[in-house]
Amino acid sequence: MSEEINLAKKAAGDKAASLVESGMLVGLGTGSTAYWAIKKIGERVADGLKIKAVATSKESEDLARNWNIPIIPFSDVEVLDLDIDGADEIDPNFNLIKGGGGALLREKIIAAKSKQMIVVADESKSVDTLGKFPLPVEVVPFGIEWTIAHLKERCQSVTLRQKEKKHYVTDNGNYILDCDFYPINHPKTLHRELNNIPGVVENGLFIDLCTKVIIGE
Ligand code: A5P
């Protein structure tokens, strides 16, 4: 990642963190942009900001704990005041592709539990039409060949995500299929169709969840 992009991500993360207020229950996103928001929130906590938080991944939970951000179990949450997270693509209607970092399932559960979802990104994430970034689809390992066959009927290609020469495993013990659906002209319909395939746990389309986008420069 270039230094310029990293600075843009930091600017977006810092700005979102400045919107957090004492007393809030906050969702902490995952990825290299959410990282900066978590870091800044950690600095504000050290300066006296009083919040509680839940994390969208084990990685973000570890970061938050390192910076002494109080983490509570998700089962204790009724509603979150604010969720701050990154995105892989953002369209003009604030529909998103997420899951490049593999955390899409917890990210979506937390976004859906939040009054506001602020997306932080650099400008490369803004697109007219979703789908150039392959859509991550979280699937259970059982019957995966059958799930892949179903997906292949609907898109150009399906790739089983790998990490260090092994199948990538999510925090929930599932696999990720990266699928080329470009151009995604009807994200809402695709979202519904994908989640109707047996074996699919969740897909990386975030529809009507994001309330604000902060693009760093
Ligand atoms: C994590 O699963 C993703 O949804 C990330 O939020 C997304 O990939 C954006 O990541 P970066 O901020 O690292 O670009």
Side-chain angles (χ1 to χ4, degrees), residues 1 9 30-34 85-88 97-104 107 120 122 125 133:
M1 187 195 318
K9 290 180 179 215
T30 297
S32 56
T33 321
D85 206 343
D88 301 301
I97 286 185
K98 286 185 52 55
L104 65 115
E107 288 175 337
V120 286
D122 64 275
K125 306 296 183 67
F133 189 95

Side-chain angles (χ1 to χ4, degrees), residues 133-153:
F133 189 95
L135 180 66
V137 179
E138 181 158 347
V139 298
V140 290
F142 181 84
I144 190 167
E145 297 79 7
W146 190 80
T147 313
I148 290 174
H150 267 261
L151 284 164
K152 276 190 172 160
E153 283 171 13

